[in-house]
Structure formats: structure tokens, C-alpha cells
């Protein structure tokens, strides 16, 4: 079943930190011996992916500390797990992007309908942390540092191919992030020839931070692409 393939994909994710630039480390919630994350992954993917049907593919950037970095599930914080997926957890985290994503999910027709049609993945399915000048480890995107991107480029191409195969090798993929994420993925795809077309939509965090007053407009825009 698809759920088993997805879980295998996440369990196999590994990136050698020796390849990364100084002051950058990998954030891998799938190999940190965390039984709660393991339970959440199994319950979530069993609930929505216990079939062999193809899905559309959505590509975010990479896991963040407060979303997938905590739960293991892209764009899904603990309030979303409880309210929309009926999954309880001892983890407590809230992530702005998740709030918008699950507004889209509800507008689409609910979690079963949405995840029956779509799989949310990432340009890079492992996240990064950067040790900044203030002595703090902060969220770091794969494109925030050119030598980081070059170090993980091959890894990203490999994981994009796998995610496409999981979804039934769709000709198109939706990209969340009309700026750098779309720019880098477009160049990467031109080289690797994985998708015939990439369709950009604003990143959910951008919508919630800068366009909250136009929330209904963005919900309509997302639904027009995701549920034409």
C-alpha cells in the first residue's frame, strides 16, 4: 500500500552532515529514535494513504522546526493533527503555515478528500538548522546558502524522483513558494527532467504573514489550482 511506501521513504532519509557547510546541521525527525513521531507517522499515513491510488504532488521547501521538524508530517502542527486528523499527541507545537494549509484542506472538502487526491512533500524532505551570530540554531532553507544548495543538490534530485514515483509519476507538480523555492526547483527540474510542468503558488507562511486580509482570495486561488 501507498502508506507503507511513504513510511519506507521517510525511514530511509539520510544526509551526511559532513557534506554540509560549517555551522549547518541536518534536521531529521525520522531517524532520531522518537517513538512519538513514529506513532504519528503511522497513524497519519494509515488514515489517509491506505490505498494504491495516484496522488497529485505538492512540493514545499524543507521541514521547519515547528511543523514537520516536530511531527514528521509536512505542514502539520499538533492543532491540525487534533482538529483535522483526530490524532492526539503529547507534542505541543504551532506553525503558521499549517494554519493556512488546513484552511485549504477544509475548503477542499476535508482531510479525507484532500489527502485522497494530494501528497504534500518537499523540495528537500530533510530540514536544516544554522548556527547564527547570536549563538542560536535557527531554521535554514536549502536555498539560504549557495554552498548548502550545491551540497544537497544531488540528494534533492534523488528524493524528488522518489516522491514523484510515490504519487504515480505525475506530469505536473505544484510548488509552494513563488520566489526562491520555485526558482531553484525550476532550474533543478530543467536539469533532471522529472516533471513536464511546475505550477507555483504562494507559500502558506507568506499568505498568513503578509496577505491575511486577502485570505479568502488566496483560498480561492489555491482551490482553483488544486481542485479545478
Amino acid at each position: 500500500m501507498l502508506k507503507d511506501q511513504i513510511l519506507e521513504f521517510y525511514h530511509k532519509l539520510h544526509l551526511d552532515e559532513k557534506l554540509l557547510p560549517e555551522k549547518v546541521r541536518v534536521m531529521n525527525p525520522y531517524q532520531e529514535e522518537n517513538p512519538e513521531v513514529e506513532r504519528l507517522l503511522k497513524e497519519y499515513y494509515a488514515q489517509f494513504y491506505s490505498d494504491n491510488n495516484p496522488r497529485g504532488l505538492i512540493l514545499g521547501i524543507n521541514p521547519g522546526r515547528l511543523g514537520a521538524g516536530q511531527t514528521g508530517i509536512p505542514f502539520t502542527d499538533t492543532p491540525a493533527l487534533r482538529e483535522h486528523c483526530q490524532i492526539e499527541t503529547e507534542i505541543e507545537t504551532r506553525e503558521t503555515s499549517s494554519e493556512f494549509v488546513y484552511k485549504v484542506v477544509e475548503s477542499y472538502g476535508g482531510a479525507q478528500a484532500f489527502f485522497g487526491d494530494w501528497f504534500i512533500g518537499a523540495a528537500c524532505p530533510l530540514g536544516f538548522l544554522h548556527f547564527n551570530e547570536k549563538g542560536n540554531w535557527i531554521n535554514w532553507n536549502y536555498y539560504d546558502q549557495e554552498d548548502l544548495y550545491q551540497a544537497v543538490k544531488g540528494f534533492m534530485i534523488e528524493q524528488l524522483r522518489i516522491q514523484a514515483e510515490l504519487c504515480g509519476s505525475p506530469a505536473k507538480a505544484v510548488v509552494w513558494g513563488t520566489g526562491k523555492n520555485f526558482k531553484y526547483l525550476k532550474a533543478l527540474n530543467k536539469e533532471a527532467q522529472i516533471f513536464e510542468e511546475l505550477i507555483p503558488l504562494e507559500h502558506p507562511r507568506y499568505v498568513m504573514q503578509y496577505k491575511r486580509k486577502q485570505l479568502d482570495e488566496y483560498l480561492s486561488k489555491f482551490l482553483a489550482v488544486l481542485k479545478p
Side-chain angles (χ1 to χ4, degrees):
M1 282 193 176
L2 182 54
K3 69 178 178 63
D4 300 312
Q5 298 173 50
I6 294 171
L7 291 173
E8 183 181 10
F9 163 65
Y10 283 123
H11 290 153
K12 286 185 175 180
L13 285 174
H14 174 73
L15 185 57
D16 188 352
E17 286 194 345
K18 294 177 182 178
L19 300 173
L20 305 184
E22 186 179 355
K23 296 184 179 181
V24 177
R25 72 184 190 196
V26 176
M27 180 170 51
N28 186 346
Y30 312 107
Q31 291 189 349
E32 293 179 352
E33 301 296 327
N34 189 327
E36 182 65 0
V37 169
E38 178 69 15
R39 182 185 69 82
L40 293 178
L41 287 171
K42 287 181 178 179
E43 288 195 22
Y44 178 88
Y45 287 106
Q47 183 174 168
F48 301 119
Y49 296 89
S50 288
D51 57 63
N52 291 309
N53 301 328
R55 300 298 202 277
L57 177 59
I58 297 168
L59 296 169
I61 302 169
N62 45 237
R65 287 182 305 136
L66 301 180
Q70 292 287 324
T71 64
I73 303 166
F75 291 95
T76 303
D77 59 10
T78 51
L81 281 174
R82 295 189 181 105
E83 181 179 351
H84 300 280
C85 309
Q86 291 74 54
I87 298 175
E88 291 296 328
T89 177
E90 63 189 29
I91 298 172
E92 291 293 342
T93 183
R94 183 174 290 275
E95 211 275 333
T96 304
S97 295
S98 179
E99 185 180 349
F100 179 75
V101 168
Y102 280 86
K103 287 182 183 297
V104 173
V105 168
E106 282 301 294
S107 297
Y108 193 94
Q112 287 290 349
F114 184 88
F115 296 114
D117 291 341
W118 292 95
F119 172 75
I120 302 179
C124 185
L126 292 180
F128 304 99
L129 297 171
H130 170 63
F131 194 69
N132 66 11
E133 295 178 355
K134 295 182 179 180
N136 300 315
W137 287 100
I138 62 171
N139 261 344
W140 209 234
N141 296 318
Y142 73 85
Y143 53 65
D144 283 336
Q145 195 172 329
E146 186 61 28
D147 53 351
L148 171 60
Y149 169 69
Q150 293 300 328
V152 301
K153 183 178 175 182
F155 172 80
M156 289 175 61
I157 290 174
E158 179 184 359
Q159 305 311 319
L160 285 168
R161 291 191 191 282
I162 294 172
Q163 290 174 91
E165 289 171 6
L166 286 173
C167 293
S169 300
K172 301 177 182 180
V174 174
V175 177
W176 281 351
T178 56
K180 288 186 177 180
N181 195 34
F182 180 63
K183 174 186 173 182
Y184 276 80
L185 272 174
K186 189 175 180 181
L188 206 62
N189 187 58
K190 184 177 181 180
E191 176 181 333
Q193 295 291 302
I194 302 170
F195 307 102
E196 293 178 13
E197 184 182 0
L198 295 175
I199 303 167
L201 284 172
E202 287 76 7
H203 194 277
R205 175 173 287 277
Y206 169 82
V207 176
M208 294 305 288
Q209 283 189 332
Y210 302 108
K211 300 294 180 179
R212 191 178 286 262
K213 290 183 179 179
Q214 290 87 45
L215 203 60
D216 288 343
E217 295 175 23
Y218 279 94
L219 283 172
S220 296
K221 180 178 181 179
F222 273 60
L223 289 174
V225 170
L226 299 172
K227 194 176 182 179

